[in-house]
Amino acid sequence: NYLNAWDIRTIGGASSAAGAGAGGSKGGGSMTMKMKGHTDTITSLALNPKGTHLLSNSMDGTMKTWDIRPFVEDGGKRQCKTFVGGTHNAEKGLLNCAWSSDGSMVTGGSADKVVHIWDELTSEELYYLPGHTGCVNSVIFHPKENVIASASSDKSIFVGELSGSI
């Protein structure tokens, strides 16, 4: 349950990249980060709009943000925030996560049939949007409008407008 990052600039060419495999251990670049924080399988990752933080969704029922800048202050601590409220269940689905276009909100799939949206700065849940009758597998923010879309195992897609503006 680690997040590992490699510097792909150190790959020795196409032949070593092809031999890297899923683990990246055979000439697949040098590992630059190993981040631990989740206690179960990580199902999705999303990069924030500035490219400085990573959002992860895990079967442990949490989403976490990670500072992935090369030089991290605060003694090298990379795990920043934890968002609690979304759930996983026995289906063990690959539930996604996403950032709003300005990076101020995060969301992720949840087995509780609800779309949860958190304030990225405070980790406070801003929106609790019920309506699906199945696991919410995917949620995404519109890149320019204050709109969100969600897809569920109930074979439905909901699109809705959030209050305020991005």
Side-chain angles (χ1 to χ4, degrees):
N1 302 320
Y2 289 93
L3 289 170
N4 297 318
W6 285 268
D7 185 348
I8 62 170
R9 296 172 298 182
T10 61
I11 295 175
S15 61
S16 59
S25 60
K26 288 187 167 185
S30 59
M31 185 184 299
T32 59
M33 297 176 219
K34 185 168 189 164
M35 301 168 282
K36 181 171 175 48
H38 285 295
T39 58
D40 204 345
T41 305
I42 297 165
T43 63
S44 181
L45 298 171
L47 193 60
N48 80 339
K50 292 182 180 178
T52 59
H53 289 76
L54 196 63
L55 177 66
S56 58
N57 193 349
S58 170
M59 289 183 185
D60 66 10
T62 65
M63 291 193 334
K64 296 181 183 284
T65 56
W66 308 85
D67 190 336
I68 59 169
R69 293 174 292 184
F71 303 102
V72 176
E73 298 173 10
D74 195 17
K77 180 181 170 239
R78 294 199 176 271
Q79 202 265 307
C80 302
K81 297 177 184 151
T82 300
F83 304 93
V84 180
T87 61
H88 284 257
N89 63 13
E91 291 177 23
K92 298 285 186 180
L94 297 178
L95 308 182
N96 89 318
C97 53
W99 296 81
S100 62
S101 62
D102 65 356
S104 67
M105 294 182 284
V106 296
T107 187
S110 182
D112 64 0
K113 308 171 188 171
V114 174
V115 174
H116 300 270
I117 302 172
W118 294 270
D119 180 287
E120 197 284 327
L121 183 63
T122 65
S123 303
E124 175 188 352
E125 189 169 25
L126 298 174
Y127 297 94
Y128 179 92
L129 307 171
H132 284 291
T133 59
C135 178
V136 178
N137 300 307
S138 184
V139 187
I140 190 166
F141 289 96
H142 188 281
K144 294 185 177 154
E145 301 296 326
N146 207 20
V147 171
I148 192 161
S150 59
S152 169
S153 296
D154 64 12
K155 301 178 184 168
S156 69
I157 297 173
F158 290 172
V159 179
E161 187 172 5
L162 302 173
S163 61
S165 62
I166 290 185

